[in-house]
Amino acid sequence: MNARAALWSIVLSSALGAVTACGGGPKVALDPESKAFYETASLIMTREESRIFKLLSDVESRREFIDDFWAKRDPNADTDINEFRSEFEQRVAYAAKRFKGEGRRGWDTDRGRIYIFMGPPDKFEESVTHGDSTVRGSIIWWIYYRYGLGIEFVDEKANGSYRIRNYEGEFFEAIDILKMGASVGTADAFLKKVVKFDLSFDPAAGEIEIALPAKSINFKENDKGEYVVDLRFKFYVYAGADLAKTVFEEERSFAAPMSEIETLKDVRFRFAPALRPGVNYVDVIIQGRDARSGRIRRLFEVKIAP
């Protein structure tokens, strides 16, 4: 294995392992419902979500967390079906069956995890006579055109157990997209592509500020000749040692002439959530005003001095 491949092997294994480890797992005794949920949902949990879950000491608060966990990833809350959850559960079931012969639970293998994150590849390539002396078995590439990504799996010992050795494309960006349940939507999307946005806290005003990159927004021209975007913000705030949860939604609009928009780095919005001294977790979902439009999500840790 060359140095680059060795480096990426360590990085990728650490990244995928962190998805399930997230601080070592819950430290409280879980009820059967919570245990069944965490066993597979931890694959797509953020570190912050795992920390929150580990601090919930009673069944009801964990049940509420589980409901919120799936609701935050629901691409269309106006329908009875949570398409993200349905697809996730189908992928877990497939991975458990398809990759169970690799010495671990199928959904806990490298191929199983990638399948759960990204679904079936758009193209599959396998090389048995590859000439790589470090690999006794075959080399497989999964190619995802929709993510601009290719992932190489190698069967080093020819025992049918594959691990990730390398990739081409934005691997970590694609993982982040799937973990957070983000999408660009299919109808009237306000985003040109899936992007990250920033959050900062102003202690003097007691407000948080969301900065959304202007170049990522699909502005529309109104009858005044201005370019407008109408957004819906939904916040889940976990504050204080007891992680008291508050949820609130606000609609905001931004309008400006094209000459101004062309010079903008980002579009900023301010909010005043109920935060407390210490560590707070602020989970933000941004969506176009149309429920079918694109949505993005990030979870932030906000520390406030006593």
Side-chain angles (χ1 to χ4, degrees), residues 193-215:
K193 62 178 182 177
V194 175
V195 297
K196 290 184 178 181
F197 57 94
D198 293 321
L199 179 148
S200 58
F201 177 67
D202 181 349
E207 296 178 336
I208 59 173
E209 184 172 72
I210 303 293
L212 185 62
K215 66 181 180 181

Side-chain angles (χ1 to χ4, degrees), residues 15-35:
L16 290 176
V19 175
T20 53
C22 287
K27 298 178 181 178
V28 297
L30 295 182
D31 58 282
E33 179 184 0
S34 298
K35 185 175 181 180

Side-chain angles (χ1 to χ4, degrees), residues 44-57:
I44 56 172
M45 274 187 181
T46 66
R47 284 185 173 85
E48 293 84 359
E49 284 178 316
S50 184
R51 290 170 189 161
I52 292 169
F53 192 73
K54 287 187 292 184
L55 293 172
L56 301 176
S57 59

Side-chain angles (χ1 to χ4, degrees), residues 292-304:
R292 297 172 299 166
S293 66
R295 64 197 297 273
I296 51 177
R297 173 177 169 242
R298 289 194 73 185
L299 202 165
F300 300 88
E301 182 178 303
V302 179
K303 295 181 179 180
I304 301 177

Side-chain angles (χ1 to χ4, degrees), residues 254-265:
F254 177 86
M258 179 54 69
S259 58
E260 180 180 335
I261 288 176
E262 288 177 340
T263 64
L264 281 178
K265 180 180 179 181

Side-chain angles (χ1 to χ4, degrees), residues 74-92:
D74 189 351
N76 189 352
D78 293 339
T79 64
D80 294 331
I81 299 174
N82 185 328
E83 294 84 359
F84 182 96
R85 181 175 183 177
S86 296
E87 179 67 19
F88 173 79
E89 291 174 347
Q90 290 172 17
R91 291 182 185 183
V92 169

Side-chain angles (χ1 to χ4, degrees), residues 21 78 81 83 95 135 156 177 190 200 221 235 241 267 292:
D78 293 339
I81 299 174
E83 294 84 359
V135 180
E156 291 175 316
I177 291 171
F190 82 92
S200 58
E221 188 175 9
F235 296 84
V267 178
R292 297 172 299 166

